[in-house]
Amino acid sequence: MSRLAVNPNRMELLKLKRRAAVAVRGHKLLKDKMDELLKQFLGLVRENRELRAEIEAELAEAYGIFAMARSEMTAQEVEEALEYPVAKLRLTAERRSITGVKVPAFRLTAEGDFDSYGLGLTPASFDDAMRRFNRLVPRLVQLAEVETAVMVMAMEIEKTRRRVNALEYVLIPSLQETISYITMKLDELERFYRTQLMKIKSMQEASSGAL
Amino acid sequence: MPNTFGGLTGFQWVIFGAALAVIGGGIGSAMGITYIANVAAGILTEDPDKFGALLPLIAIPGTQGIYGFITGILVMTVMKPGAGWSVLSGYSGLLIFFACLPVAFNCLVSAIYQGLTASGAAGMVAKRTEDAGKALILPALVETYAVLSLITTIIMLIVAIKPTITV
Amino acid sequence: MSRSAIYEGPKSGHGSRGRAPAGPGRAYGLLARYRRYRGPLENLKVTREPAKYGYAVGRIKVREMGLLNSQRLGRLIEADFDEALHILEEADYGDYLKGSRVASDVDAGLMRFLQDLYELLREITPAGSHIAEFLLDRYDFHNLKVLLKQRCCGEQNEGPMLDLGTLDPEALRVALENPAKLPQHLVGPVLEVLALPEITSQWVDTVVDRHFFEHRLVLAREEHSGFMEEFARTSLDLANIKILLRAKNLGKDAGFLERALAEGGRMGKVWMAALVTQPAEEMLRALGGSRYAAGLLQFLGVEDEQIRLTDYDKRADDLMMAQLHQARRIAVGVEPILGYIRGRENDVAVLRIILMGKLHNLSPEAIERHVRRLYVDKERL
């Protein structure tokens, strides 16, 4: 904790006192912001965790079905069947704000069917796997959105926390220390003047008495 | 001359019968051996060590040809009347002709089916060489009826030849 | 039979496949149908066939020992991936799969096995027999689909061609530039695809697959083998039923089925195509009304207007395998050859299912549910 290198005079003291008042108010505001951010963040994290667990389970299931379906044909036959998909996905990214933090918002539009393959030679479980994958795509995008939001929020919270800490543990204490230092210095100066004055006065009285 | 039957002399009937027996047995055996030999060739390409086990199977449809040949020889040599072929009446020749028929037809058909049975049995040998003995039994059962027909033919020849000899 | 770029096979007109019985009433039990073929004429044929197929059957009989059996299969399902590879070393498949680590290794190994198997098939196919073509032209049609898709849907890259069929893929690529040079049986699908109002990859698959099933029936007739014809017709029927059920689930219309369903099966194509407009339960009931499909369909249920098809492929394959089992009763003929090659292909599919399942950490029970009936195995199902 260090004292600021300023001249200990009344002018600086006034300035510092104003700065300290601003810092304290700022600290309080930032602290409120962080509380709000944390509240939002925890909500998002919970949502993210649930979504992720859900999607991972569904993905595993879909992959299991697909793995079984694809092992009924040679790799080349699978590739041939899925080579040219018909479905087209359009993804647009926008911004939305959570308590002043900008997070992305994705919008997915799909056109065309997922079945781009012949039905006679591919196994029937193909449809099931593809349907599951097809249903999972929008949810994956949703997961990406939530996950990015969580990341952006975490960064924002980190930044705010650093600011709060800087104010709380560095700026405000050092301002206060400097203020008290200047106050002490000024007090001391005053006492010095006073003793000097008293000394001069007593010397004057002594000399006038002697006269 | 009353020595003909249906326009053929006794000698002609005998030749007819003998020829039929040899032809029947020969065709049957040739076909039967062809079938089993084809299969055996395939098996031996994969596993030449099975030759010993397969050889009896390949050979077994050949016996019908031998039976036909035996019948032919029997008819033409042993059954020959002491006074020469010319004394044989058309009726007696016809009897000998009929006596040849069991071998002629039975050997023809049994050799073909024996070839098929042997082909199936060769499949057993292809899987386990140790089964060669068991596998041989199956076509050998078909052989029974070729043997029976040969025995019948011989008995019929002996019975049929008796009146000829006494004439 | 040697492979040739220029195909000189049967010239089959569309007229010869016009024997399609209408409606489910004409469906026969497989066994009854098969017995009908074994009339007096067939018996005469029995005396002709051993000379033709004998050699091939001999070659195959020795190799049949290497097929998977149920005992080995049970051990494979219980083992983990490395143990499974170890067990396979006892069978013919070990050399091909040795050192496999990932799915693509397994695919490549099994592909090499198939290549060698088909090489054997070409070598032993007797002159004048279509058996190799019957079993391999599936890959010609596959390559045709790849090429048509490339042509109609875009890029000119290599594509997932399979060098397993009767035609050289490169020769096929060249021939496609000029449809007049194409083998007779591939002209029909190419022209039909090119005439489509809208060429999507699904249409290409649908049209070519249909021609494939119909062509196989023609080949079987040329071979004069009741057994092969039966096999071709059953697989065509099973594919038709599968297409109908899946089309229903995917919400296709009757026009799609008109192009998708192959002709020549036991159930009339028009009758089947009309079924798609009915509710799922109605459709299953109508299909199940035919004695032929009843056994196959009784396992299917309906869940929120979707027909559950999870087990259909396995059931269908098992049914085909049951039919092939009859081939084992015939010592010499086209039947054991067909049975052996299909048995091997089935083994390859089973191995792929097991090994992929192991790689994806599926439980032995889940794998067992998908594993097909084996050619060697008699007891299951």
Side-chain angles (χ1 to χ4, degrees):
Chain A
M1 230 175 281
S2 60
R3 161 157 55 82
L4 299 176
V6 287
N7 289 328
N9 52 31
R10 241 164 245 288
M11 189 71 165
E12 286 295 335
L13 184 67
L14 226 61
K15 236 196 269 173
L16 282 175
K17 274 190 172 162
R18 250 198 318 267
R19 266 182 77 190
V22 170
V24 168
R25 205 168 55 235
H27 175 250
K28 191 180 168 323
L29 278 176
L30 275 176
K31 196 131 191 165
D32 285 352
K33 182 185 170 188
M34 200 172 82
D35 287 348
E36 180 60 24
L37 275 178
L38 266 177
K39 214 170 76 189
Q40 295 279 351
F41 177 74
L42 289 178
L44 272 177
V45 165
R46 205 173 304 122
E47 189 186 342
N48 180 45
R49 198 169 44 217
E50 279 163 17
L51 201 59
R52 183 166 257 282
E54 227 171 275
I55 287 179
E56 264 172 10
E58 277 175 46
L59 260 183
E61 201 180 341
Y63 268 117
I65 293 173
F66 182 70
M68 284 290 108
R70 68 143 292 192
S71 49
E72 286 168 24
M73 299 190 285
T74 62
Q76 284 84 345
E77 281 169 314
V78 177
E79 201 183 320
E80 185 274 325
L82 303 176
E83 206 181 2
Y84 294 103
V86 195
K88 286 196 172 58
L89 296 176
R90 189 179 302 279
L91 187 71
T92 47
E94 284 160 13
R95 279 182 181 183
R96 123 188 118 95
S97 118
I98 304 176
T99 52
V101 184
K102 296 265 181 291
V103 296
F106 298 122
R107 200 173 331 124
L108 186 75
T109 45
E111 52 182 272
D113 290 327
F114 59 86
D115 55 318
S116 63
Y117 42 85
L119 303 182
L121 287 173
T122 52
S125 40
F126 237 59
D127 294 349
D128 195 19
M130 292 300 143
R131 192 191 308 276
R132 278 164 198 266
F133 281 132
N134 195 45
R135 251 189 255 135
L136 270 172
V137 171
R139 309 202 54 196
L140 278 173
V141 171
Q142 194 192 347
L143 179 67
E145 189 181 303
V146 173
E147 214 147 45
T148 320
V150 165
M151 228 153 65
V152 172
M153 292 283 275
M155 268 154 63
E156 188 64 28
I157 287 171
E158 186 60 35
K159 215 156 71 184
T160 315
R161 185 197 299 279
R162 229 180 294 131
R163 277 200 200 137
V164 169
N165 282 349
L167 281 178
E168 190 173 338
Y169 296 111
V170 182
L171 189 63
I172 295 176
S174 70
L175 279 176
Q176 271 160 359
E177 199 189 326
T178 317
I179 288 169
S180 66
Y181 162 74
I182 294 177
T183 320
M184 262 154 56
K185 204 81 179 168
L186 286 178
D187 283 355
E188 203 183 312
L189 218 64
E190 202 173 332
R191 278 193 297 275
F192 172 72
Y193 283 132
R194 181 165 295 168
T195 47
Q196 212 170 25
L197 274 177
M198 281 165 75
K199 183 83 181 168
I200 292 169
K201 200 174 175 190
S202 69
M203 275 168 71
Q204 268 177 349
E205 274 170 8
S207 68
S208 69
L211 284 174
Chain B
M1 258 189 31
N3 259 2
T4 60
F5 190 95
L8 296 180
T9 64
F11 181 55
Q12 283 168 329
W13 275 116
V14 168
I15 291 280
F16 191 8
L20 217 53
V22 177
I23 289 172
I27 290 178
S29 285
M31 284 177 77
I33 290 183
T34 307
Y35 299 158
I36 169 69
N38 263 325
V39 177
I43 295 174
L44 293 177
T45 312
E46 292 290 324
D47 188 356
D49 294 340
K50 293 194 191 290
F51 182 74
L54 283 174
L55 192 61
L57 283 176
I58 304 172
I60 202 166
T63 50
Q64 276 87 339
I66 296 172
Y67 298 160
F69 179 67
I70 291 173
T71 309
I73 296 291
L74 265 182
V75 168
M76 296 315 296
T77 58
V78 183
M79 300 298 160
K80 185 180 178 187
W85 287 111
S86 54
V87 301
L88 201 66
S89 68
Y91 173 74
S92 306
L94 186 69
L95 286 184
I96 293 178
F97 169 75
F98 279 140
C100 289
L101 290 187
V103 163
F105 286 108
N106 242 9
C107 285
L108 170 67
V109 176
S110 70
I112 293 171
Y113 279 96
Q114 195 170 40
L116 292 174
T117 315
S119 302
M124 286 169 64
V125 178
K127 287 185 181 142
R128 279 166 55 90
T129 316
E130 304 86 79
D131 283 348
K134 269 184 252 168
L136 191 60
I137 307 241
L138 306 179
L141 289 175
V142 182
E143 184 73 17
T144 320
Y145 300 94
V147 174
L148 290 184
S149 73
L150 179 68
I151 295 171
T152 313
T153 291
I154 291 174
I155 293 173
M156 285 161 95
L157 281 175
I158 292 168
V159 174
I161 217 82
K162 265 183 195 156
T164 337
I165 293 166
T166 51
V167 159
Chain C
M1 198 183 88
S2 65
R3 283 166 55 133
S4 58
I6 297 126
Y7 172 84
E8 293 168 322
K11 298 224 186 307
S12 49
H14 285 250
S16 62
R17 44 178 98 130
R19 278 210 282 138
R26 293 287 297 274
Y28 305 99
L30 282 182
L31 210 61
R33 179 88 180 187
Y34 186 59
R35 289 215 178 100
R36 271 158 45 92
Y37 272 103
R38 308 210 58 76
L41 261 176
E42 188 72 5
N43 285 335
L44 267 185
K45 223 179 79 188
V46 162
T47 59
R48 188 168 43 92
E49 289 205 335
K52 189 171 171 184
Y53 300 109
Y55 176 75
V57 170
R59 294 284 301 264
I60 273 165
K61 286 286 171 192
V62 180
R63 289 174 183 242
E64 262 182 14
M65 290 304 284
L67 283 160
L68 287 182
N69 54 34
S70 44
Q71 183 230 348
R72 217 175 260 160
L73 182 74
R75 280 166 63 208
L76 276 176
I77 290 176
E78 292 303 324
D80 66 21
F81 185 75
D82 291 311
E83 279 169 30
L85 288 186
H86 195 70
I87 293 169
L88 284 173
E89 270 171 33
E90 299 163 22
D92 297 353
Y93 307 97
D95 292 342
Y96 295 91
L97 291 168
K98 200 176 271 174
S100 294
R101 292 259 66 90
V102 292
S104 59
D105 295 343
V106 173
D107 270 326
L110 292 175
M111 186 56 65
R112 278 199 304 281
F113 178 81
L114 282 180
Q115 266 161 3
D116 288 356
L117 177 71
Y118 294 149
E119 201 47 58
L120 172 79
L121 175 64
R122 286 195 199 98
E123 192 187 321
I124 64 175
T125 298
S129 169
H130 300 309
I131 178 80
E133 220 188 312
F134 182 81
L135 286 162
L136 298 181
D137 70 348
R138 168 169 130 223
Y139 300 106
D140 295 339
F141 280 90
H142 165 84
N143 288 339
L144 184 71
K145 283 192 282 188
V146 174
L147 289 171
L148 279 173
K149 280 186 183 181
Q150 280 179 358
R151 188 156 152 184
C152 303
C153 307
E155 314 115 82
Q156 275 295 317
N157 53 4
E158 196 36 41
M161 306 277 267
L162 275 171
D163 190 11
L164 294 174
T166 57
L167 304 167
D168 180 37
E170 273 316 302
L172 192 63
R173 188 193 294 274
V174 175
L176 197 62
E177 299 302 314
N178 177 9
K181 275 195 198 141
L182 274 175
Q184 190 76 21
H185 64 287
L186 297 181
V187 174
V190 169
L191 291 183
E192 189 176 335
V193 165
L194 294 181
L196 283 171
E198 179 203 14
I199 305 174
T200 64
S201 82
Q202 187 169 43
W203 276 121
V204 172
D205 280 357
T206 304
V207 168
V208 176
D209 287 353
R210 192 192 82 223
H211 278 271
F212 159 67
F213 283 113
E214 289 175 355
H215 176 65
R216 219 160 54 158
L217 199 54
V218 171
L219 280 181
R221 294 217 177 102
E222 308 252 347
E223 186 82 10
H224 297 295
S225 161
F227 186 80
M228 260 165 80
E229 198 175 326
E230 196 56 36
F231 181 87
R233 184 171 295 123
T234 306
S235 62
L236 185 151
D237 272 332
L238 292 176
N240 270 357
I241 295 174
K242 181 157 85 171
I243 290 171
L244 176 61
L245 296 177
R246 293 172 79 181
K248 176 75 193 163
N249 274 356
L250 293 168
K252 302 281 180 197
D253 57 4
F256 173 84
L257 286 168
E258 202 61 41
R259 274 200 199 281
L261 296 178
E263 226 167 279
R266 287 182 195 78
M267 294 191 254
K269 172 179 166 170
V270 180
W271 176 79
M272 281 183 89
L275 278 181
V276 79
T277 52
Q278 311 236 350
E281 280 102 348
E282 284 295 311
M283 197 174 86
L284 282 187
R285 200 170 307 134
L287 279 176
S290 77
R291 239 193 314 153
Y292 171 61
L296 190 65
L297 295 174
Q298 73 188 30
F299 303 98
L300 302 176
V302 178
E303 243 171 47
D304 4 305
E305 273 304 294
Q306 293 276 318
I307 299 162
R308 249 186 307 110
L309 287 173
T310 334
D311 288 339
Y312 181 86
D313 288 300
K314 182 178 148 49
R315 300 261 173 218
D317 283 358
D318 285 351
L319 188 73
M320 296 295 296
M321 203 33 90
Q323 195 182 350
L324 280 177
H325 272 292
Q326 299 172 347
R328 289 173 66 78
R329 298 198 203 124
I330 289 152
V332 183
V334 76
E335 291 86 350
I337 308 176
L338 189 66
Y340 173 75
I341 301 288
R342 282 297 306 149
R344 283 289 190 186
E345 285 176 348
N346 189 54
D347 275 8
V348 166
V350 165
L351 284 181
R352 205 185 287 123
I353 288 171
I354 292 178
L355 293 176
M356 294 290 176
K358 299 285 170 211
L359 284 173
H360 283 88
N361 291 323
L362 288 162
S363 67
E365 293 75 38
I367 293 174
E368 191 162 19
R369 213 158 49 81
H370 284 89
V371 162
R372 306 313 201 234
R373 192 179 176 189
L374 294 175
Y375 180 56
V376 180
D377 186 19
K378 277 158 257 158
E379 264 60 65
R380 276 180 68 198
L381 195 98

